[in-house]
Amino acid sequence: MDISKEDECDKENRAYLLTKQPDFRILSMKDFKVGHEIGKGKYGRVHLATNKSSGYIVALKILLKHELKHDKLLQQLEREVEIQGNLNHPNILKLYGYFQDEKRVVMILEWAPLGTLYAQLKRQMRFVEKQASRYIAQIAKSLKYVHEHHIVHRDLKPENLLIDKQGILKLADFGWATYVQDFTNSSLKTICGTLDYLAPEMVKRQPYNEKVDVWALGIICYELLVGTPPFESIGFHPTIQRIVLDEVTIPDYVSREARDIIIMLLQKNPINRPSMEQVLNHPWIRMYNKNSSSQNSQPKLTKTIITNINYSNC
Ligand code: AMP
Protein backbone atom coordinates (compact mmCIF):
# COMPACT_ATOMS: atom_id res chain seq x y z
CA MET A 1 0.00 0.00 0.00
CA ASP A 2 1.58 3.26 -1.06
CA ILE A 3 0.79 5.47 1.90
CA SER A 4 3.24 8.12 0.69
CA LYS A 5 0.51 9.24 -1.71
CA GLU A 6 -1.80 10.01 1.17
CA ASP A 7 -1.18 13.77 1.44
CA GLU A 8 -1.48 14.37 -2.24
CA CYS A 9 -4.70 12.36 -2.30
CA ASP A 10 -6.17 14.21 0.62
CA LYS A 11 -5.64 17.56 -1.06
CA GLU A 12 -6.83 17.00 -4.56
CA ASN A 13 -8.26 13.59 -5.22
CA ARG A 14 -11.31 13.85 -3.08
CA ALA A 15 -12.58 16.88 -4.93
CA TYR A 16 -11.42 15.39 -8.23
CA LEU A 17 -13.17 12.13 -7.67
CA LEU A 18 -16.35 13.73 -6.47
CA THR A 19 -16.68 15.77 -9.62
CA LYS A 20 -15.05 13.58 -12.24
CA GLN A 21 -15.06 10.23 -10.53
CA PRO A 22 -15.22 7.11 -12.64
CA ASP A 23 -18.47 5.25 -12.25
CA PHE A 24 -17.49 3.25 -9.20
CA ARG A 25 -20.38 0.90 -9.82
CA ILE A 26 -18.61 -0.53 -12.83
CA LEU A 27 -15.35 -1.03 -10.96
CA SER A 28 -14.25 -4.37 -9.61
CA MET A 29 -11.68 -5.65 -7.13
CA LYS A 30 -8.99 -5.64 -9.83
CA ASP A 31 -9.26 -1.84 -10.03
CA PHE A 32 -7.89 -1.58 -6.48
CA LYS A 33 -4.59 -2.40 -4.87
CA VAL A 34 -5.92 -3.82 -1.61
CA GLY A 35 -3.88 -3.12 1.52
CA HIS A 36 -4.14 -4.27 5.10
CA GLU A 37 -7.29 -4.75 7.14
CA ILE A 38 -8.19 -1.61 9.11
CA GLY A 39 -11.29 -2.87 10.83
CA LYS A 40 -13.66 -5.73 11.32
CA GLY A 41 -17.40 -5.25 11.73
CA LYS A 42 -20.15 -7.67 12.58
CA TYR A 43 -20.67 -8.57 8.92
CA GLY A 44 -17.54 -7.65 7.07
CA ARG A 45 -13.97 -6.53 6.98
CA VAL A 46 -12.67 -3.10 6.05
CA HIS A 47 -9.45 -2.78 4.05
CA LEU A 48 -7.37 0.19 3.01
CA ALA A 49 -7.09 0.27 -0.79
CA THR A 50 -5.78 2.42 -3.62
CA ASN A 51 -7.72 2.96 -6.81
CA LYS A 52 -5.12 1.94 -9.41
CA SER A 53 -6.04 4.51 -12.04
CA SER A 54 -6.22 7.59 -9.79
CA GLY A 55 -4.02 6.60 -6.83
CA TYR A 56 -6.88 7.66 -4.59
CA ILE A 57 -6.93 5.97 -1.19
CA VAL A 58 -10.25 4.62 0.04
CA ALA A 59 -11.62 2.18 2.60
CA LEU A 60 -13.24 -0.91 1.09
CA LYS A 61 -15.90 -2.55 3.21
CA ILE A 62 -16.12 -6.14 2.02
CA LEU A 63 -19.27 -8.08 2.82
CA LEU A 64 -19.72 -11.75 2.03
CA LYS A 65 -22.98 -12.49 0.26
CA HIS A 66 -23.62 -15.73 2.12
CA GLU A 67 -23.57 -13.74 5.37
CA LEU A 68 -26.08 -11.25 3.95
CA LYS A 69 -28.72 -13.84 3.11
CA HIS A 70 -30.87 -12.74 6.01
CA ASP A 71 -33.42 -10.32 4.54
CA LYS A 72 -32.90 -7.58 7.12
CA LEU A 73 -29.20 -7.36 6.31
CA LEU A 74 -29.84 -6.96 2.63
CA GLN A 75 -32.36 -4.24 3.39
CA GLN A 76 -29.80 -2.50 5.60
CA LEU A 77 -27.22 -2.60 2.86
CA GLU A 78 -29.72 -1.22 0.37
CA ARG A 79 -30.45 1.66 2.74
CA GLU A 80 -26.81 2.39 3.27
CA VAL A 81 -26.15 2.58 -0.45
CA GLU A 82 -29.25 4.58 -1.35
CA ILE A 83 -29.14 7.03 1.52
CA GLN A 84 -25.45 7.48 2.35
CA GLY A 85 -24.53 7.44 -1.34
CA ASN A 86 -26.63 10.54 -1.91
CA LEU A 87 -25.48 12.60 1.05
CA ASN A 88 -22.79 15.21 0.71
CA HIS A 89 -21.68 16.98 3.87
CA PRO A 90 -18.25 17.52 5.48
CA ASN A 91 -19.41 15.69 8.63
CA ILE A 92 -20.84 12.66 6.82
CA LEU A 93 -18.60 9.81 5.64
CA LYS A 94 -18.74 9.72 1.86
CA LEU A 95 -19.91 6.53 0.22
CA TYR A 96 -18.45 6.77 -3.29
CA GLY A 97 -20.16 3.66 -4.63
CA TYR A 98 -20.19 -0.09 -4.53
CA PHE A 99 -19.64 -3.13 -6.70
CA GLN A 100 -20.24 -6.82 -6.38
CA ASP A 101 -19.04 -10.14 -7.67
CA GLU A 102 -20.32 -13.66 -7.15
CA LYS A 103 -19.30 -13.83 -3.52
CA ARG A 104 -18.92 -10.27 -2.25
CA VAL A 105 -20.50 -6.85 -2.07
CA VAL A 106 -17.87 -4.14 -1.73
CA MET A 107 -18.60 -0.60 -0.54
CA ILE A 108 -16.15 2.13 -1.53
CA LEU A 109 -15.90 4.54 1.41
CA GLU A 110 -14.02 7.67 2.33
CA TRP A 111 -11.05 6.65 4.46
CA ALA A 112 -11.07 8.02 8.02
CA PRO A 113 -7.47 7.43 9.21
CA LEU A 114 -8.07 8.25 12.89
CA GLY A 115 -10.70 5.51 13.32
CA THR A 116 -13.81 5.67 15.46
CA LEU A 117 -14.78 8.15 18.17
CA TYR A 118 -15.45 5.06 20.28
CA ALA A 119 -11.79 3.96 20.11
CA GLN A 120 -10.60 7.49 20.88
CA LEU A 121 -12.93 7.70 23.89
CA LYS A 122 -11.74 4.33 25.20
CA ARG A 123 -8.14 5.54 24.98
CA GLN A 124 -8.83 8.88 26.71
CA MET A 125 -11.55 7.64 29.14
CA ARG A 126 -13.34 11.00 28.80
CA PHE A 127 -12.80 14.26 26.97
CA VAL A 128 -12.20 17.79 28.24
CA GLU A 129 -15.21 20.04 27.63
CA LYS A 130 -13.66 21.94 24.72
CA GLN A 131 -13.00 18.75 22.76
CA ALA A 132 -16.42 17.28 23.64
CA SER A 133 -18.17 20.50 22.60
CA ARG A 134 -16.34 20.51 19.26
CA TYR A 135 -17.35 16.92 18.57
CA ILE A 136 -20.97 17.53 19.59
CA ALA A 137 -21.11 20.59 17.29
CA GLN A 138 -19.92 18.48 14.35
CA ILE A 139 -22.41 15.71 15.06
CA ALA A 140 -25.16 18.34 15.38
CA LYS A 141 -24.20 19.74 11.96
CA SER A 142 -24.37 16.31 10.36
CA LEU A 143 -27.76 15.66 12.00
CA LYS A 144 -29.08 19.07 10.94
CA TYR A 145 -28.27 18.20 7.34
CA VAL A 146 -29.64 14.65 7.60
CA HIS A 147 -32.88 15.83 9.24
CA GLU A 148 -33.30 18.64 6.70
CA HIS A 149 -33.37 15.88 4.09
CA HIS A 150 -36.08 13.98 5.97
CA ILE A 151 -33.76 11.22 7.09
CA VAL A 152 -33.55 9.70 10.57
CA HIS A 153 -30.22 7.95 11.27
CA ARG A 154 -31.46 5.73 14.13
CA ASP A 155 -28.08 4.30 15.13
CA LEU A 156 -26.09 7.27 16.37
CA LYS A 157 -23.27 6.10 18.68
CA PRO A 158 -19.50 6.62 19.02
CA GLU A 159 -18.79 3.43 17.00
CA ASN A 160 -20.55 5.03 14.01
CA LEU A 161 -18.58 8.27 14.13
CA LEU A 162 -15.26 8.21 12.32
CA ILE A 163 -12.45 10.75 12.43
CA ASP A 164 -10.43 11.92 9.43
CA LYS A 165 -6.83 13.09 9.35
CA GLN A 166 -7.75 16.66 10.27
CA GLY A 167 -9.75 15.45 13.26
CA ILE A 168 -13.08 16.11 11.51
CA LEU A 169 -15.88 13.86 12.67
CA LYS A 170 -17.82 11.88 10.05
CA LEU A 171 -21.19 10.29 10.65
CA ALA A 172 -21.22 6.77 9.17
CA ASP A 173 -23.21 3.56 9.03
CA PHE A 174 -26.59 4.42 7.56
CA GLY A 175 -27.78 0.80 7.76
CA TRP A 176 -30.70 1.76 9.98
CA ALA A 177 -31.37 5.16 8.42
CA THR A 178 -34.78 5.77 6.96
CA TYR A 179 -36.66 8.39 4.99
CA VAL A 180 -39.69 10.08 6.57
CA GLN A 181 -41.76 12.45 4.48
CA ASP A 182 -43.35 14.24 7.44
CA PHE A 183 -41.65 14.13 10.85
CA THR A 184 -44.76 15.51 12.55
CA ASN A 185 -46.77 12.57 11.32
CA SER A 186 -44.24 9.73 11.44
CA SER A 187 -45.38 6.13 11.71
CA LEU A 188 -41.93 4.71 12.54
CA LYS A 189 -42.19 2.15 15.32
CA THR A 190 -39.44 -0.42 14.82
CA ILE A 191 -36.99 -0.75 17.66
CA CYS A 192 -33.58 -0.45 16.08
CA GLY A 193 -30.17 0.87 16.97
CA THR A 194 -28.08 0.07 20.05
CA LEU A 195 -29.49 -0.39 23.55
CA ASP A 196 -27.71 2.38 25.50
CA TYR A 197 -28.68 4.98 22.86
CA LEU A 198 -32.37 4.07 22.38
CA ALA A 199 -34.88 6.85 23.07
CA PRO A 200 -37.72 6.28 25.60
CA GLU A 201 -40.48 6.61 22.98
CA MET A 202 -38.79 3.94 20.84
CA VAL A 203 -38.46 1.41 23.67
CA LYS A 204 -42.09 2.13 24.61
CA ARG A 205 -42.99 1.20 21.02
CA GLN A 206 -44.63 4.56 20.40
CA PRO A 207 -44.39 6.19 16.96
CA TYR A 208 -41.16 8.18 16.79
CA ASN A 209 -39.36 10.63 14.52
CA GLU A 210 -35.99 12.40 14.11
CA LYS A 211 -36.00 13.28 17.82
CA VAL A 212 -34.60 9.78 18.54
CA ASP A 213 -31.32 11.04 17.02
CA VAL A 214 -31.48 14.10 19.31
CA TRP A 215 -31.81 11.79 22.32
CA ALA A 216 -28.82 9.73 21.12
CA LEU A 217 -26.83 12.97 20.77
CA GLY A 218 -27.60 13.67 24.45
CA ILE A 219 -26.37 10.20 25.41
CA ILE A 220 -23.15 10.77 23.44
CA CYS A 221 -22.66 14.20 24.99
CA TYR A 222 -22.88 12.67 28.47
CA GLU A 223 -20.64 9.77 27.48
CA LEU A 224 -17.91 12.03 26.07
CA LEU A 225 -17.81 14.04 29.31
CA VAL A 226 -18.27 11.22 31.83
CA GLY A 227 -16.89 8.13 30.06
CA THR A 228 -19.96 5.88 30.17
CA PRO A 229 -23.54 6.26 28.86
CA PRO A 230 -25.95 7.63 31.52
CA PHE A 231 -28.43 4.73 31.75
CA GLU A 232 -25.94 1.86 31.43
CA SER A 233 -26.99 -1.19 33.48
CA ILE A 234 -26.35 -4.89 33.48
CA GLY A 235 -28.89 -6.53 31.19
CA PHE A 236 -31.49 -5.47 28.66
CA HIS A 237 -34.54 -4.85 30.89
CA PRO A 238 -32.81 -2.85 33.64
CA THR A 239 -31.34 -0.57 30.95
CA ILE A 240 -34.74 -0.10 29.30
CA GLN A 241 -36.28 0.69 32.66
CA ARG A 242 -33.66 3.32 33.43
CA ILE A 243 -34.07 4.92 29.97
CA VAL A 244 -37.80 5.27 30.49
CA LEU A 245 -37.92 6.18 34.20
CA ASP A 246 -34.64 7.58 35.52
CA GLU A 247 -33.66 11.21 35.40
CA VAL A 248 -30.05 11.68 34.32
CA THR A 249 -27.56 12.24 37.15
CA ILE A 250 -24.54 14.28 36.13
CA PRO A 251 -21.26 14.32 38.09
CA ASP A 252 -20.26 17.60 39.79
CA TYR A 253 -17.17 18.13 37.62
CA VAL A 254 -19.40 18.76 34.56
CA SER A 255 -19.87 22.50 33.95
CA ARG A 256 -23.21 24.26 34.34
CA GLU A 257 -23.44 24.88 30.57
CA ALA A 258 -22.66 21.27 29.64
CA ARG A 259 -25.13 20.05 32.24
CA ASP A 260 -27.78 22.31 30.71
CA ILE A 261 -27.33 20.97 27.17
CA ILE A 262 -27.37 17.33 28.36
CA ILE A 263 -30.65 17.92 30.21
CA MET A 264 -32.13 19.69 27.16
CA LEU A 265 -31.19 16.77 24.87
CA LEU A 266 -32.28 14.03 27.27
CA GLN A 267 -35.88 15.17 27.65
CA LYS A 268 -38.08 12.08 27.98
CA ASN A 269 -40.80 13.79 25.91
CA PRO A 270 -39.43 14.11 22.34
CA ILE A 271 -41.41 17.31 21.73
CA ASN A 272 -39.32 19.04 24.39
CA ARG A 273 -35.99 18.14 22.77
CA PRO A 274 -34.23 20.95 20.87
CA SER A 275 -33.71 21.27 17.12
CA MET A 276 -30.14 21.04 15.83
CA GLU A 277 -30.20 24.79 15.18
CA GLN A 278 -30.94 25.31 18.89
CA VAL A 279 -28.12 22.92 19.83
CA LEU A 280 -25.68 24.83 17.62
CA ASN A 281 -26.73 28.09 19.28
CA HIS A 282 -26.41 26.76 22.83
CA PRO A 283 -23.84 28.65 24.99
CA TRP A 284 -21.80 25.46 25.61
CA ILE A 285 -21.42 24.98 21.84
CA ARG A 286 -20.85 28.66 21.03
CA MET A 287 -18.22 28.90 23.77
CA TYR A 288 -15.89 26.49 21.96
CA ASN A 289 -17.01 26.71 18.31
CA LYS A 290 -16.73 29.94 16.37
CA ASN A 291 -19.68 30.45 13.97
CA SER A 292 -21.12 27.12 15.00
CA SER A 293 -24.53 27.69 13.45
CA SER A 294 -23.41 28.96 10.04
CA GLN A 295 -20.32 26.75 9.48
CA ASN A 296 -20.78 23.90 7.01
CA SER A 297 -24.41 24.86 6.60
CA GLN A 298 -26.47 23.33 3.86
CA PRO A 299 -24.05 21.79 1.37
CA LYS A 300 -25.93 20.47 -1.62
CA LEU A 301 -26.79 16.83 -2.08
CA THR A 302 -24.60 14.99 -4.57
CA LYS A 303 -27.67 13.99 -6.52
CA THR A 304 -31.30 14.71 -5.90
CA ILE A 305 -32.19 12.78 -2.80
CA ILE A 306 -34.22 9.71 -3.52
CA THR A 307 -37.63 10.71 -2.28
CA ASN A 308 -39.38 7.51 -3.21
CA ILE A 309 -37.60 5.34 -0.69
CA ASN A 310 -40.35 4.09 1.48
CA TYR A 311 -39.31 2.17 4.51
CA SER A 312 -42.17 3.50 6.56
CA ASN A 313 -43.33 -0.01 7.42
CA CYS A 314 -40.04 -0.80 9.16
P1 AMP B 1 -18.02 -1.50 10.35
O1 AMP B 1 -18.10 -2.80 9.63
O2 AMP B 1 -18.56 -0.36 9.54
O3 AMP B 1 -18.57 -1.58 11.74
O4 AMP B 1 -16.45 -1.17 10.51
C1 AMP B 1 -15.60 -1.95 11.32
C2 AMP B 1 -14.39 -1.14 11.74
O5 AMP B 1 -13.64 -0.79 10.58
C3 AMP B 1 -14.73 0.18 12.41
O6 AMP B 1 -14.89 0.03 13.79
C4 AMP B 1 -13.53 1.04 12.07
O7 AMP B 1 -12.49 0.80 12.99
C5 AMP B 1 -13.09 0.51 10.71
N1 AMP B 1 -13.62 1.33 9.60
C6 AMP B 1 -14.82 1.21 8.99
N2 AMP B 1 -14.98 2.11 8.02
C7 AMP B 1 -13.84 2.84 8.00
C8 AMP B 1 -13.39 3.95 7.21
N3 AMP B 1 -14.15 4.45 6.25
N4 AMP B 1 -12.16 4.45 7.47
C9 AMP B 1 -11.40 3.94 8.47
N5 AMP B 1 -11.76 2.90 9.24
C10 AMP B 1 -12.97 2.35 9.02
Coordinates of all heavy atoms in Angstrom, one line a residue, residues 93 112-128 131-140 142 156-164 167-172 197 216-217 219-225 227:
L93 N -19.6 10.6 6.4 CA -18.6 9.8 5.6 C -19.1 9.6 4.2 O -20.3 9.1 4.1 CB -18.4 8.5 6.4 CG -17.2 7.6 5.9 CD1 -15.9 8.1 6.5 CD2 -17.4 6.2 6.2
A112 N -11.2 7.2 6.8 CA -11.1 8.0 8.0 C -9.9 7.5 8.9 O -10.1 6.6 9.7 CB -12.4 8.0 8.8
P113 N -8.7 8.0 8.6 CA -7.5 7.4 9.2 C -7.4 7.4 10.7 O -6.7 6.5 11.3 CB -6.3 8.3 8.7 CG -6.9 9.1 7.6 CD -8.4 9.2 7.8
L114 N -8.2 8.3 11.4 CA -8.1 8.3 12.9 C -9.1 7.3 13.6 O -9.2 7.3 14.8 CB -8.2 9.7 13.5 CG -7.1 10.7 13.0 CD1 -7.1 11.9 13.9 CD2 -5.7 10.1 13.1
G115 N -9.8 6.5 12.7 CA -10.7 5.5 13.3 C -12.0 6.1 14.0 O -12.4 7.2 13.6
T116 N -12.5 5.3 14.9 CA -13.8 5.7 15.5 C -13.7 6.6 16.7 O -12.7 6.5 17.4 CB -14.6 4.4 15.9 OG1 -13.9 3.8 16.9 CG2 -14.8 3.5 14.7
L117 N -14.7 7.3 16.9 CA -14.8 8.1 18.2 C -14.8 7.2 19.4 O -14.2 7.5 20.4 CB -16.0 9.0 18.1 CG -16.3 10.0 19.3 CD1 -15.2 11.0 19.4 CD2 -17.6 10.7 19.2
Y118 N -15.4 6.1 19.2 CA -15.4 5.1 20.3 C -14.0 4.7 20.7 O -13.7 4.7 21.9 CB -16.2 3.8 19.8 CG -16.2 2.7 20.8 CD1 -17.2 2.7 21.8 CD2 -15.3 1.6 20.7 CE1 -17.2 1.6 22.7 CE2 -15.3 0.6 21.6 CZ -16.3 0.6 22.6 OH -16.3 -0.4 23.5
A119 N -13.2 4.4 19.8 CA -11.8 4.0 20.1 C -11.1 5.1 20.8 O -10.3 4.9 21.8 CB -11.1 3.5 18.9
Q120 N -11.3 6.3 20.3 CA -10.6 7.5 20.9 C -11.1 7.7 22.3 O -10.3 8.0 23.2 CB -10.9 8.7 20.1 CG -9.8 9.8 20.3 CD -10.1 11.1 19.7 OE1 -10.8 11.2 18.7 NE2 -9.4 12.2 20.2
L121 N -12.4 7.5 22.5 CA -12.9 7.7 23.9 C -12.4 6.6 24.8 O -12.0 6.9 26.0 CB -14.5 7.7 23.8 CG -15.2 7.9 25.1 CD1 -14.9 9.2 25.7 CD2 -16.7 7.7 24.9
K122 N -12.3 5.4 24.3 CA -11.7 4.3 25.2 C -10.3 4.6 25.6 O -9.9 4.3 26.7 CB -11.8 3.0 24.5 CG -13.2 2.4 24.3 CD -13.8 2.1 25.7 CE -15.3 2.3 25.7 NZ -16.0 3.0 26.7
R123 N -9.5 5.2 24.7 CA -8.1 5.5 25.0 C -8.0 6.7 26.0 O -7.2 6.6 26.9 CB -7.4 6.0 23.7 CG -6.9 4.8 22.8 CD -5.9 5.3 21.8 NE -6.5 6.2 20.9 CZ -7.1 5.9 19.7 NH1 -7.3 4.7 19.4 NH2 -7.6 6.9 19.0
Q124 N -8.9 7.7 25.8 CA -8.8 8.9 26.7 C -9.7 8.8 28.0 O -9.6 9.7 28.8 CB -9.2 10.1 25.9 CG -8.1 10.6 25.0 CD -8.5 11.9 24.3 OE1 -8.4 12.0 23.1 NE2 -8.9 12.9 25.0
M125 N -10.6 7.8 28.0 CA -11.6 7.6 29.1 C -12.7 8.7 29.1 O -13.8 8.3 29.0 CB -10.9 7.7 30.5 CG -9.7 6.8 30.7 SD -10.3 5.0 30.7 CE -10.9 4.9 32.3
R126 N -12.3 10.0 29.1 CA -13.3 11.0 28.8 C -12.6 12.2 28.2 O -11.4 12.3 28.3 CB -14.1 11.3 30.0 CG -13.4 11.8 31.3 CD -14.3 11.9 32.4 NE -13.7 12.0 33.7 CZ -13.4 13.1 34.3 NH1 -13.7 14.3 33.7 NH2 -12.8 13.2 35.5
F127 N -13.4 13.1 27.6 CA -12.8 14.3 27.0 C -12.9 15.5 27.8 O -13.9 15.7 28.6 CB -13.5 14.5 25.6 CG -13.3 13.4 24.6 CD1 -14.4 13.0 23.8 CD2 -12.0 12.8 24.4 CE1 -14.2 12.0 22.9 CE2 -11.9 11.8 23.5 CZ -13.0 11.4 22.7
V128 N -12.0 16.5 27.6 CA -12.2 17.8 28.2 C -13.4 18.5 27.5 O -13.7 18.1 26.4 CB -10.9 18.6 28.1 CG1 -9.8 18.0 29.0 CG2 -10.5 18.9 26.7
Q131 N -13.0 19.8 23.8 CA -13.0 18.8 22.8 C -14.4 18.1 22.6 O -14.9 17.9 21.5 CB -12.0 17.7 23.2 CG -11.7 16.7 22.0 CD -10.6 15.7 22.4 OE1 -10.2 15.6 23.6 NE2 -10.1 15.0 21.4
A132 N -15.1 17.9 23.7 CA -16.4 17.3 23.6 C -17.4 18.2 22.9 O -18.1 17.8 22.0 CB -16.9 17.0 25.0
S133 N -17.3 19.5 23.2 CA -18.2 20.5 22.6 C -17.9 20.5 21.1 O -18.9 20.7 20.3 CB -17.9 21.9 23.2 OG -18.5 22.9 22.5
R134 N -16.7 20.5 20.7 CA -16.3 20.5 19.3 C -16.9 19.3 18.5 O -17.4 19.4 17.4 CB -14.8 20.6 19.1 CG -14.4 22.0 19.5 CD -13.0 22.4 19.0 NE -12.8 23.8 19.2 CZ -11.7 24.4 19.1 NH1 -10.6 23.7 18.8 NH2 -11.6 25.7 19.3
Y135 N -16.8 18.1 19.2 CA -17.3 16.9 18.6 C -18.9 17.0 18.5 O -19.5 16.7 17.5 CB -16.9 15.7 19.3 CG -15.5 15.2 19.0 CD1 -14.7 14.6 20.0 CD2 -15.0 15.4 17.8 CE1 -13.4 14.2 19.7 CE2 -13.7 14.9 17.5 CZ -12.9 14.3 18.5 OH -11.6 13.9 18.2
I136 N -19.5 17.5 19.6 CA -21.0 17.5 19.6 C -21.4 18.5 18.5 O -22.4 18.3 17.8 CB -21.5 17.9 21.0 CG1 -21.2 16.8 22.0 CG2 -23.0 18.2 21.0 CD1 -21.8 15.4 21.7
A137 N -20.7 19.6 18.3 CA -21.1 20.6 17.3 C -21.1 19.9 15.9 O -22.0 20.1 15.1 CB -20.2 21.8 17.3
Q138 N -20.0 19.1 15.7 CA -19.9 18.5 14.4 C -21.0 17.4 14.1 O -21.6 17.3 13.0 CB -18.5 17.8 14.2 CG -17.4 18.9 14.2 CD -16.1 18.2 14.0 OE1 -15.8 17.6 13.0 NE2 -15.2 18.5 15.0
I139 N -21.3 16.7 15.2 CA -22.4 15.7 15.1 C -23.7 16.5 14.8 O -24.5 16.0 14.0 CB -22.5 14.8 16.3 CG1 -21.2 14.1 16.6 CG2 -23.6 13.7 16.1 CD1 -21.2 13.4 18.0
A140 N -23.9 17.6 15.5 CA -25.2 18.3 15.4 C -25.3 18.9 13.9 O -26.4 18.9 13.4 CB -25.2 19.5 16.4
S142 N -24.0 17.4 11.3 CA -24.4 16.3 10.4 C -25.9 16.0 10.5 O -26.6 15.7 9.5 CB -23.5 15.1 10.6 OG -23.8 14.5 11.9
L156 N -27.2 6.3 16.0 CA -26.1 7.3 16.4 C -25.4 6.8 17.6 O -26.0 6.6 18.7 CB -26.7 8.7 16.6 CG -25.8 9.8 16.9 CD1 -24.9 10.1 15.7 CD2 -26.6 11.1 17.2
K157 N -24.1 6.6 17.5 CA -23.3 6.1 18.7 C -21.8 6.3 18.3 O -21.5 6.5 17.1 CB -23.6 4.6 19.0 CG -23.3 3.7 17.8 CD -23.6 2.2 18.2 CE -23.4 1.3 17.0 NZ -23.6 -0.1 17.4
P158 N -20.9 6.3 19.3 CA -19.5 6.6 19.0 C -18.9 5.6 18.0 O -17.9 6.0 17.3 CB -18.8 6.5 20.4 CG -19.9 6.9 21.4 CD -21.2 6.3 20.8
E159 N -19.3 4.4 18.0 CA -18.8 3.4 17.0 C -19.1 3.8 15.6 O -18.4 3.4 14.6 CB -19.4 2.0 17.2 CG -18.9 1.3 18.5 CD -19.9 1.6 19.6 OE1 -20.4 2.7 19.8 OE2 -20.1 0.6 20.4
N160 N -20.2 4.6 15.4 CA -20.6 5.0 14.0 C -20.1 6.4 13.7 O -20.6 7.1 12.7 CB -22.1 4.9 13.8 CG -22.5 3.4 13.8 OD1 -21.7 2.6 13.5 ND2 -23.8 3.2 14.1
L161 N -19.2 7.0 14.4 CA -18.6 8.3 14.1 C -17.1 8.1 13.9 O -16.4 7.6 14.8 CB -18.8 9.2 15.3 CG -20.3 9.6 15.5 CD1 -20.6 10.0 16.9 CD2 -20.7 10.7 14.5
L162 N -16.7 8.4 12.7 CA -15.3 8.2 12.3 C -14.5 9.6 12.3 O -15.2 10.6 12.2 CB -15.2 7.5 11.0 CG -15.7 6.0 11.0 CD1 -16.1 5.6 9.6 CD2 -14.6 5.1 11.6
I163 N -13.2 9.5 12.4 CA -12.5 10.8 12.4 C -11.4 10.8 11.3 O -10.7 9.8 11.1 CB -11.7 10.9 13.8 CG1 -12.8 10.7 14.9 CG2 -11.1 12.2 13.9 CD1 -12.1 10.5 16.3
D164 N -11.4 11.9 10.5 CA -10.4 11.9 9.4 C -9.1 12.5 9.9 O -8.9 12.8 11.1 CB -11.0 12.7 8.2 CG -11.0 14.2 8.4 OD1 -10.5 14.7 9.4 OD2 -11.4 14.9 7.4
G167 N -9.0 15.5 12.0 CA -9.8 15.5 13.3 C -11.2 15.8 13.1 O -11.9 16.0 14.0
I168 N -11.7 15.8 11.8 CA -13.1 16.1 11.5 C -13.9 14.8 11.7 O -13.5 13.8 11.2 CB -13.3 16.6 10.0 CG1 -12.3 17.8 9.7 CG2 -14.7 16.9 9.7 CD1 -12.7 19.1 10.1
L169 N -15.0 15.0 12.4 CA -15.9 13.9 12.7 C -16.8 13.6 11.5 O -17.3 14.5 10.8 CB -16.7 14.2 13.9 CG -17.0 13.1 14.9 CD1 -15.7 12.6 15.5 CD2 -17.9 13.7 16.0
K170 N -17.0 12.3 11.2 CA -17.8 11.9 10.0 C -18.9 10.9 10.5 O -18.5 9.8 11.0 CB -16.9 11.2 9.0 CG -15.7 12.0 8.6 CD -16.0 12.9 7.4 CE -14.8 13.8 7.1 NZ -15.1 14.6 5.9
L171 N -20.1 11.2 10.3 CA -21.2 10.3 10.6 C -21.2 9.2 9.6 O -21.2 9.4 8.4 CB -22.5 11.0 10.7 CG -23.8 10.2 10.9 CD1 -23.8 9.5 12.2 CD2 -25.0 11.2 10.8
A172 N -21.3 7.9 10.1 CA -21.2 6.8 9.2 C -22.3 5.8 9.5 O -23.1 6.0 10.4 CB -19.9 6.1 9.3
Y197 N -28.4 3.7 23.6 CA -28.7 5.0 22.9 C -30.2 5.1 22.5 O -30.6 6.1 21.8 CB -27.8 5.1 21.6 CG -26.3 5.0 22.0 CD1 -25.7 3.8 22.1 CD2 -25.6 6.1 22.3 CE1 -24.4 3.7 22.5 CE2 -24.3 6.1 22.8 CZ -23.7 4.8 22.9 OH -22.4 4.7 23.3
A216 N -30.1 10.4 21.2 CA -28.8 9.7 21.1 C -27.7 10.7 21.2 O -26.6 10.4 21.8 CB -28.7 8.9 19.8
L217 N -27.9 11.9 20.7 CA -26.8 13.0 20.8 C -26.6 13.3 22.3 O -25.5 13.6 22.7 CB -27.2 14.2 20.0 CG -26.2 15.4 19.9 CD1 -24.9 14.9 19.2 CD2 -26.8 16.6 19.3
I219 N -27.1 11.3 24.8 CA -26.4 10.2 25.4 C -24.9 10.3 25.1 O -24.0 10.2 26.0 CB -26.9 8.8 24.9 CG1 -28.4 8.7 25.2 CG2 -26.1 7.7 25.4 CD1 -28.8 8.3 26.6
I220 N -24.6 10.6 23.8 CA -23.1 10.8 23.4 C -22.5 11.9 24.2 O -21.4 11.8 24.6 CB -23.0 10.9 21.9 CG1 -23.5 9.7 21.2 CG2 -21.6 11.3 21.5 CD1 -23.5 9.8 19.7
C221 N -23.2 13.0 24.3 CA -22.7 14.2 25.0 C -22.3 13.8 26.4 O -21.2 14.1 26.9 CB -23.7 15.3 25.0 SG -23.1 16.9 25.6
Y222 N -23.2 13.1 27.1 CA -22.9 12.7 28.5 C -21.7 11.7 28.5 O -20.7 11.9 29.3 CB -24.1 12.0 29.0 CG -24.0 11.4 30.4 CD1 -24.6 12.1 31.5 CD2 -23.3 10.2 30.7 CE1 -24.4 11.6 32.8 CE2 -23.2 9.7 32.0 CZ -23.8 10.4 33.0 OH -23.6 10.0 34.3
E223 N -21.7 10.8 27.5 CA -20.6 9.8 27.5 C -19.2 10.4 27.2 O -18.3 10.0 27.8 CB -21.0 8.8 26.4 CG -20.2 7.5 26.4 CD -20.6 6.5 25.4 OE1 -21.5 6.8 24.6 OE2 -20.0 5.4 25.4
L224 N -19.2 11.4 26.4 CA -17.9 12.0 26.1 C -17.4 12.7 27.3 O -16.2 12.8 27.5 CB -18.0 13.1 24.9 CG -18.5 12.5 23.5 CD1 -18.3 13.7 22.5 CD2 -17.6 11.3 23.1
L225 N -18.3 13.3 28.1 CA -17.8 14.0 29.3 C -17.6 13.2 30.5 O -16.8 13.5 31.4 CB -18.8 15.1 29.6 CG -19.0 16.2 28.6 CD1 -20.2 17.1 28.8 CD2 -17.7 17.1 28.6
G227 N -17.6 9.4 30.4 CA -16.9 8.1 30.1 C -17.8 6.9 29.9 O -17.4 5.9 29.3

